[in-house]
Amino acid sequence: VTVAGGEPEEPEHRPPDALTGDTAEELYDAAPCGYLSTHPDGLLAKVNQTFLTWTGYQRDELVGRRRFLDLLAPGSRIYHETHYAPLLRMQGSVQEISFDLVRADGTRFPVLVNSRLRNDDEGRPLLALTTVFDASDRKKYERELLLARRKAEQYAERLAILQLAVAELAAAAEVADVARVIVGVVRDAFGAAASALWLRDEATGRFDWVAALGVPDPVGEPPFLTADAQLPQHEAIQRGDVVVVQDAAEARRAFPLVSAAFEGGPAGTLVLVPLVAQGRTLGVVASRFAERRDLDVDELGLLQTVGRQAGLALQRARLFDEQRTVALTLQRSLLPHDAPTDPRLQLATCYLPSEDAMEVGGDWYDMFGLDADRVAVVVGDVVGRGVHAAAAMGQLRSAVRALAALDGDPATLLGRLDRFVEGVEAAQMATLAFAELDLRDGSLRYACAGHPPPVLLAATGGARLLWGGRSAPLGAHFGAGHRSGGQVVLAPGDRLLLYTDGLVERRDRGLDVGIDLLAAEVATWGHAPLGAQVDAVSEAMLRDAETRDDVCLLGLSFREEPAFEDRVAADRQEVATLRDRLAGWLAQRGVQESEWDTIVLACSEAVANAIEHAYDDDAAHQVEVIATVREDQLLIRVSDAGRWRPERADGIRGRGLAIIRRVMDHVTIDRSAGTVVTMHRRIHPASGP
Amino acid sequence: MNDEIATVEVEWTEAACILRIAGELDLSNATHLEDRVRQEAENCRALVLDLTGLRFIDSSGVRMLDHLVTAYDGVRQVRVATTDPGPVRFTLKLCGFDDALLTTSTDEAVASLS
C-alpha cells in the first residue's frame, strides 16, 4: 500500500507484516490516509478507521447506507457531479481532487481525493477505490500564503504612500502645508475614514485643533486639548507613542470621554499618532477607521515613523514660519506709514515680498517732506536676505531720513551715507535711488548709488530713463570716489517711478532689456491713475517670472489732476447718474462746456454697450470707467469682464460704436479679457493750460 | 422705465398728436417710451415728437425714433423738433437722421405737415 498518489487496494487477508507484525487489515485501518470503496451506485462499501476518526462518523452510519457524495459540502457536490464522476468514468481514475467533506458534527473538512475504478472481467465498473488525504493544513498554508502576499502588497503600497508623504513633508514649507500632508497620509496609507490634527501652541503649551480630513466629526474634535482631559490624544502626547482605542468597549474602559464618539457612529478603531521631534511632542493626529481595525506590529511601527517624520517636518516648518514672520514684520514695520500729503503731489507704492519665504530681503521705499515745498523719495536695496538684511535696511532708512534733512544735494547725501555704512557692515554695498522734488517749480534732483535708473513719464506720454547722477553702491571701494547727481524739471502731470531690481532682473535676459521693457510698460499704463499704473506695471513685469525676488515700486506724480474713477452696476438705470458724475468731473477739469455733451455721449454709449451686450443686463456685474486729462489729452477707458457676443441684427451696437468713433479722435477696442474700450480726444481747456 | 430721467406730455391738436419728451432718453427708458408713444399716437393723423426739452439722447433713443418713423411710413407723418444747435440735434445728425423730418419747434413741425 502506498500513500501519496498510491492506489488503494482492497485489503486481503495476508499474513502479518514480517517487520511490524501488523496484519493487512490493521495497516488498512490505521493508514495515515482515509480509504474508502464505493459501489457503482455510489453507496459506500468499505471505509477505514482513519477516515472515520477524521470525520467522526460510525462505520455502520456509512457503509451500505450513505454515498460518498452525501458526505460532501454543497459546493463540492456540484464539483463531484460535474467533474469528478464524469472524469472517473471516462478515464478510470482521478488525481488530487479537492473536496470539502462535512463531518458528523457539521464542520468542514478539506481533503484531497484520488480514485480509481476497478472493473470486473467484462470491463464493467465493480468498485471505486478512493484514498482521502487531510488537506486542512495545506488549505491553511495556502490561506496564509495568500494573506502574507496581500499583506506584503499592502505594506509595499503603504510604503509608497509614506515615501510620497515624506517627500511632500520635505517640500512643505509652512506649518499649514505640513498639517495638510499629515492628515492626508494616515488616511491614504492606512485607510482611515477621517483624520484630525492638533498642534502645540508654543506660547500656551495647549494643543489646538488645526486640520481635519474626511467626515466632519471623526473623534469629537475638541477645538483644543486641555491638560487634565482623559483623552487618548493625551496619552499619545505624554507617552510619545502610538495609542490605539480598539473599540467602544475599550473606549468606555480607558477613555470614557471619547466613548460618546463611538456610540454615535460606526464603532471604528481610533488611532492616535504623536508627532515627535527631538523628544518633544509637537502635535497629535487622531484617525478614525470606519470599522474595527486590528493593527499589527509593522503597521504600528509605520505609524510611529509617520509621526516622527511629520514631527521633524513640523519643527522645520515652524522655524521657517517664525523666521519669515519676523523678517516680514520687521520689513513692514520699517516701511513708511506717514507719507507726505500735498495737493501738488500724488504718491503710490507697491511692495511685494519675495515668494521664496526665506528670501525676505532688504528692499525698501520711503518718502518724506524735507520742508514745506520739498519732498524726498527713496527706493533702496540692502544686500542679503532675512532678518539681518531687514534690520540693516531699517538703519539705513533712518540714516537717509536724518542725513537728507541736512543741507546739500543728493550727491552730498550719498557721500554722507558712504561714511555711515562704514560702521554698519550689513548696509555696505546697498544700492539706492534718491530724489527730491521741489513742488513749487517741479525741479527734481536725484542720485543713484548702484541702483537702476528712475523712469520719467511725461504728461504728454512717452517714458524715458534718468541715466544721470550715477555712482557706485554705498561703501563700495571700487567706485570712482565721488558722488554725482542729476537734475530734471517735471512738468505738471509728469510722473516718476523708482523701483528695485527685482522688478526688472530676470535670469533669461539682460538687465538693460528688463529696464527698457519697464519703460515701455510705464508708457503703456500712462493713462491709468497713478495707483493703478503702479499695480499694473508690477503685474505686467512680473507676470511670467518663474520666481520673484523682493520688489518695491514707488510712483510719484507732480501737479496731476485727479482721475475720474467710477464703477457702475450693469443696470440700465445706472447710466444716467454716471453721465452726471462724468460731466461734473469734466467741468472740474476745466473742459469746455461745449465738449461735455459729446464726451459724455461717447462714454454713455460704451457703458450701455457693456451692460447690454457683455453682461446681458446682469446687474451683478460692474462696468469700470476711468477718465484722465493729461495736458490737452482726454482719455476714457470703459472696461467690462463680460463676453463679446456677435452683433445683433438690428445693428444697435454698430450705431453706438459709430457715435463713439465719430466724436473721439482715437478709439481702440481690446477684447482679450472682457472688453476694454479706450477713447482719446484732444480737448480745449476752458481756462488756459 | 426710469421715471426720473424723462417725462412725457401729450397734446392733441386738429393737425397732430404732439408728444413732449423731456429729460434724458437712453437705453434705460427707450423701449418703454416707444411703447408709450405708439399707444398715444394710435389714432392720430400726424405725430410730432417735441424733443426740445430733451437734454440727452443716446443710440437707443435714436433707434426708437427710427422704429417709429419706419412703422408710420406711409401711414402718418412724423416730425421731430429739437433745439438747434443742441446735444440731441448733434446726436441725431451724427446718426444721419433725415433732415427733412427735423424742425426746431412744434409750430414749425405742425406747419410743415402736408
Side-chain angles (χ1 to χ4, degrees):
Chain A
V1 179
T2 53
V3 179
E7 296 171 3
E9 291 294 331
E10 268 298 273
E12 286 163 25
H13 294 281
R14 291 180 186 163
D17 188 275
L19 216 56
T20 62
D22 291 338
T23 63
E25 189 66 30
E26 282 165 348
L27 283 175
Y28 173 79
D29 260 339
C33 63
Y35 283 121
L36 45 92
S37 319
T38 45
H39 296 292
D41 60 3
L43 277 177
L44 287 162
K46 191 165 168 135
V47 295
N48 74 344
Q49 186 56 46
T50 306
F51 184 82
L52 294 173
T53 308
W54 282 349
T55 57
Y57 292 105
Q58 298 300 313
R59 194 180 301 272
D60 54 9
E61 280 180 277
L62 301 179
V63 174
R65 307 179 79 125
R66 306 281 290 275
R67 296 175 301 169
F68 177 58
L69 182 66
D70 300 330
L71 305 182
L72 296 180
S76 294
R77 266 185 226 176
I78 294 166
Y79 196 74
H80 184 281
E81 280 166 15
T82 58
H83 289 76
Y84 170 88
L87 273 175
L88 185 61
R89 230 177 4 258
M90 283 189 303
Q91 299 179 351
S93 69
V94 289
Q95 303 277 322
E96 293 187 26
I97 301 290
S98 175
F99 281 134
D100 273 348
L101 289 176
V102 182
R103 290 198 186 93
D105 64 6
T107 57
R108 299 293 167 94
F109 178 51
V111 294
L112 282 177
V113 162
N114 293 342
S115 293
R116 186 169 70 80
L117 275 182
R118 173 180 279 189
N119 298 330
D120 61 14
D121 297 343
E122 288 162 24
R124 283 176 306 209
L126 191 65
L127 279 174
L129 309 177
T130 301
T131 49
V132 178
F133 300 98
D134 180 353
S136 43
D137 284 346
R138 177 172 166 159
K139 275 276 155 80
K140 203 168 110 200
Y141 174 66
E142 277 175 1
R143 252 198 321 272
E144 278 171 0
L145 205 67
L146 207 68
L147 214 63
R149 198 168 65 199
R150 197 177 306 143
K151 214 169 138 183
E153 283 168 1
Q154 268 178 5
Y155 198 76
E157 203 175 292
R158 206 169 284 148
L159 270 181
I161 293 172
L162 285 183
Q163 277 161 5
L164 191 72
V166 169
E168 279 184 52
L169 284 174
E174 291 167 29
V175 172
D177 300 331
V178 176
R180 190 175 39 75
V181 176
I182 294 171
V183 294
V185 71
V186 183
R187 191 183 66 160
D188 296 342
F190 295 90
S195 292
L197 171 67
W198 288 262
L199 290 182
R200 181 198 291 275
D201 180 330
E202 293 300 339
T204 61
R206 204 173 69 178
F207 283 78
D208 291 324
W209 183 87
V210 292
L213 203 67
V215 294
D217 189 18
V219 276
E221 278 176 21
F224 55 86
L225 308 174
T226 49
D228 54 343
Q230 285 294 302
L231 292 172
Q233 285 95 322
H234 254 97
E235 187 161 330
I237 290 166
Q238 274 156 10
R239 281 175 29 203
D241 212 347
V242 175
V243 169
V244 179
V245 186
Q246 200 64 259
D247 50 29
E250 190 178 342
R252 271 195 298 276
R253 193 176 65 247
F255 306 102
L257 284 175
V258 296
S259 62
F262 280 85
E263 315 300 346
T269 295
L270 184 62
V271 179
L272 296 308
V273 181
L275 312 181
V276 184
Q278 293 173 340
R280 292 183 67 237
T281 305
L282 303 178
V284 59
V285 183
S287 293
R288 184 75 183 271
F289 290 89
E291 47 204 36
R292 187 192 160 98
R293 178 80 145 69
D294 295 302
L295 294 156
D296 64 24
V297 177
D298 291 340
E299 289 177 317
L300 290 174
L302 272 180
L303 283 169
Q304 191 81 36
T305 306
V306 171
R308 289 212 191 91
Q309 291 287 349
L312 287 173
L314 203 58
Q315 194 181 39
R316 191 167 35 75
R318 281 209 165 150
L319 202 63
F320 192 81
D321 280 2
E322 202 175 304
Q323 286 179 359
R324 177 179 165 77
T325 309
V326 169
L328 271 179
T329 309
L330 189 54
Q331 194 171 32
R332 287 251 160 78
S333 70
L334 292 173
L335 295 174
H337 302 289
D338 51 348
T341 50
D342 190 294
R344 296 166 290 181
L345 174 78
Q346 282 184 52
L347 289 163
T349 57
C350 174
Y351 170 69
L352 302 164
S354 167
E355 275 173 350
D356 185 342
M358 289 317 287
E359 293 289 298
V360 171
D363 285 17
W364 91 95
Y365 59 77
D366 200 2
M367 49 241 188
F368 48 92
L370 292 168
D371 56 42
D373 292 308
R374 289 187 310 139
V375 291
V377 288
V378 196
V379 162
D381 186 356
V382 167
V383 178
R385 298 278 173 257
V387 177
H388 292 297
M393 174 269 269
Q395 286 180 291
L396 193 52
R397 173 178 167 259
S398 303
V400 172
R401 280 202 171 209
L403 297 172
L406 303 175
D407 281 341
D409 60 8
T412 312
L413 170 67
L414 293 189
R416 288 172 180 148
L417 287 170
D418 279 330
R419 288 193 288 284
F420 171 77
V421 300
E422 279 171 18
V424 184
E425 202 187 331
Q428 285 170 17
M429 298 304 289
T431 69
L432 66 86
F434 176 89
E436 53 180 62
L437 174 66
D438 192 321
L439 297 170
R440 288 165 299 198
D441 59 7
S443 65
L444 181 95
R445 298 192 297 176
Y446 67 96
C448 291
H451 204 85
V455 185
L456 176 63
L457 176 72
T460 48
R464 67 184 176 99
L465 299 161
L466 299 182
W467 282 110
R470 301 197 61 73
S471 51
L474 297 182
H477 296 295
F478 59 78
H482 71 277
R483 294 293 182 182
S484 60
Q487 184 159 0
V488 288
V489 177
L490 301 190
D494 282 359
R495 292 178 181 177
L496 184 74
L497 184 80
L498 307 184
Y499 55 95
T500 52
D501 56 7
L503 186 67
V504 289
E505 207 167 45
R506 210 71 80 67
R507 275 187 205 141
D508 55 352
R509 65 172 188 229
L511 196 59
D512 53 337
V513 177
I515 291 171
D516 287 344
L517 243 151
L518 171 66
E521 287 293 347
V522 168
T524 301
W525 294 94
H527 64 268
L530 186 67
Q533 183 190 25
V534 165
D535 290 343
V537 166
S538 67
E539 197 277 328
M541 292 299 292
L542 301 169
R543 191 181 298 144
D544 53 356
E546 280 170 27
T547 57
R548 197 188 69 211
D549 198 359
D550 268 27
V551 175
C552 265
L553 285 85
L554 185 153
L556 169 158
S557 75
F558 173 60
R559 286 183 178 271
E560 181 177 309
E561 303 291 358
F564 175 80
E565 291 179 77
D566 211 329
R567 282 176 167 274
V568 290
D571 178 345
R572 293 168 184 233
Q573 316 289 334
E574 296 287 324
V575 190
T577 59
L578 174 79
R579 286 195 297 265
D580 288 346
R581 290 194 292 270
L582 181 61
W585 179 80
L586 290 169
Q588 274 179 13
R589 293 288 74 72
V591 178
Q592 280 182 21
E593 197 173 345
S594 60
E595 294 190 80
W596 299 356
D597 291 334
T598 46
I599 294 166
V600 168
L601 173 65
C603 181
S604 182
E605 290 294 344
V607 172
N609 209 29
I611 292 173
E612 204 177 357
H613 297 283
Y615 289 138
D616 223 355
D617 289 290
D618 182 349
H621 296 288
Q622 286 194 318
V623 185
E624 186 188 59
V625 180
I626 290 175
T628 56
V629 174
R630 316 249 297 150
E631 297 278 286
D632 62 348
Q633 289 294 318
L634 167 84
L635 177 140
I636 301 180
R637 185 175 178 274
V638 176
S639 56
D640 66 65
R643 291 175 307 130
W644 182 270
R645 289 170 302 122
E647 193 169 326
R648 287 184 191 170
D650 60 14
I652 163 85
R653 169 180 297 149
R655 183 171 279 152
L657 271 179
I659 290 176
I660 293 172
R661 288 190 200 282
R662 290 179 71 170
V663 301
M664 303 303 270
D665 297 335
H666 181 64
V667 180
T668 59
I669 299 171
D670 178 357
R671 288 162 198 159
S672 53
T675 302
V676 179
V677 180
T678 309
M679 305 170 272
H680 295 258
R681 181 183 155 103
R682 184 158 183 267
I683 51 161
H684 308 88
S687 50
Chain B
M1 148 90 187
N2 192 336
D3 288 313
E4 290 161 19
I5 68 166
T7 57
V8 180
E9 281 175 32
V10 190
E11 182 192 338
W12 284 91
T13 67
E14 212 169 305
C17 167
I18 301 169
L19 271 138
R20 285 197 181 83
I21 303 176
E24 297 177 51
L25 207 174
D26 69 2
L27 83 164
S28 70
N29 58 3
T31 308
H32 175 84
L33 285 174
E34 183 179 338
D35 293 345
R36 176 82 191 276
V37 171
R38 281 170 184 264
Q39 220 177 328
E40 298 287 354
E42 202 175 356
N43 300 310
C44 69
R45 279 181 50 226
L47 172 66
V48 174
L49 289 165
D50 179 1
L51 306 184
T52 53
L54 199 64
R55 292 190 308 274
F56 178 85
I57 187 168
D58 75 349
S59 57
S60 306
V62 177
R63 177 176 51 160
M64 170 204 142
L65 298 182
D66 192 39
H67 283 175
L68 291 171
V69 171
T70 309
Y72 294 158
D73 186 31
V75 180
R76 54 185 73 105
Q77 290 183 299
V78 179
R79 293 289 183 275
V80 177
T82 72
T83 51
D84 185 24
V88 174
R89 176 62 69 104
F90 175 81
T91 305
L92 291 179
K93 284 197 158 175
L94 211 57
C95 294
F97 201 82
D98 187 354
D99 261 344
L101 305 180
L102 292 174
T103 63
T104 54
S105 69
T106 49
D107 288 349
E108 192 190 326
V110 171
S112 75
L113 294 169
S114 53

